[in-house]
């Protein structure tokens, strides 16, 4: 059973940092891409960052490039999103995603950036 569980969200002031983690289980983690999406209030879900199975290929949305860093630990079946220089517009529910015989999503973790 494929499972993704996000952790690490919370309330942070503008300019602050958070590190999200995604614990994966039920599939061969090192063979699949991992992505982070987010959905802000009143907005559509958008791709934030993606990383290939080996970690060699990485994508960032232009809005987060230079501030966010995606990584993965294939030995631990974990994916991470380090978020720095956070802005109020980064406020959203952040979701971990992979494609294993279909779309697989975690339940999400709330990130709120406010002073």
């Amino acid at each position: 059973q494929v499972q993704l569980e996000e952790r690490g969200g919370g309330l942070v002031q503008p300019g602050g940092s958070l590190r999200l983690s995604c614990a994966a289980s039920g599939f061969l983690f090192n063979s699949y891409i991992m992505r982070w999406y987010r959905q802000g209030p009143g907005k559509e879900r958008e791709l934030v960052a993606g990383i290939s199975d080996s970690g060699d290929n990485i994508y960032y949305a232009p809005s987060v490039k230079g501030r966010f860093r995606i990584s993965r630990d294939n030995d631990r079946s974990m994916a991470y999103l380090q978020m720095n220089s956070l802005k109020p517009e980064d406020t959203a529910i952040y979701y971990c995603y992979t494609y294993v015989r279909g779309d697989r999503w975690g339940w999400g973790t709330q990130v709120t950036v406010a002073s």
Side-chain angles (χ1 to χ4, degrees), residues 1-4 25-27 101 104:
Q1 181 180 0
V2 175
Q3 289 189 325
L4 301 172
S25 61
F27 63 102
R101 300 183 297 278
R104 307 287 183 169

Side-chain angles (χ1 to χ4, degrees), residues 44-62:
E44 294 187 354
R45 194 172 295 191
E46 63 174 350
L47 175 63
V48 175
I51 187 168
S52 62
D53 53 0
S54 65
D56 289 343
N57 294 300
I58 288 176
Y59 166 83
Y60 294 105

Side-chain angles (χ1 to χ4, degrees), residues 28-78:
L28 192 60
F29 183 78
N30 61 12
S31 295
Y32 294 90
I33 61 94
M34 297 298 298
R35 294 175 181 164
W36 287 95
Y37 285 79
R38 69 185 180 186
Q39 187 165 15
K43 298 181 181 179
E44 294 187 354
R45 194 172 295 191
E46 63 174 350
L47 175 63
V48 175
I51 187 168
S52 62
D53 53 0
S54 65
D56 289 343
N57 294 300
I58 288 176
Y59 166 83
Y60 294 105
S63 60
V64 308
K65 197 169 186 179
R67 301 188 296 121
F68 290 12
R69 180 176 175 271
I70 189 172
S71 62
R72 64 189 297 158
D73 184 337
N74 284 347
D75 290 336
R76 296 185 177 183
S77 297
M78 297 287 295

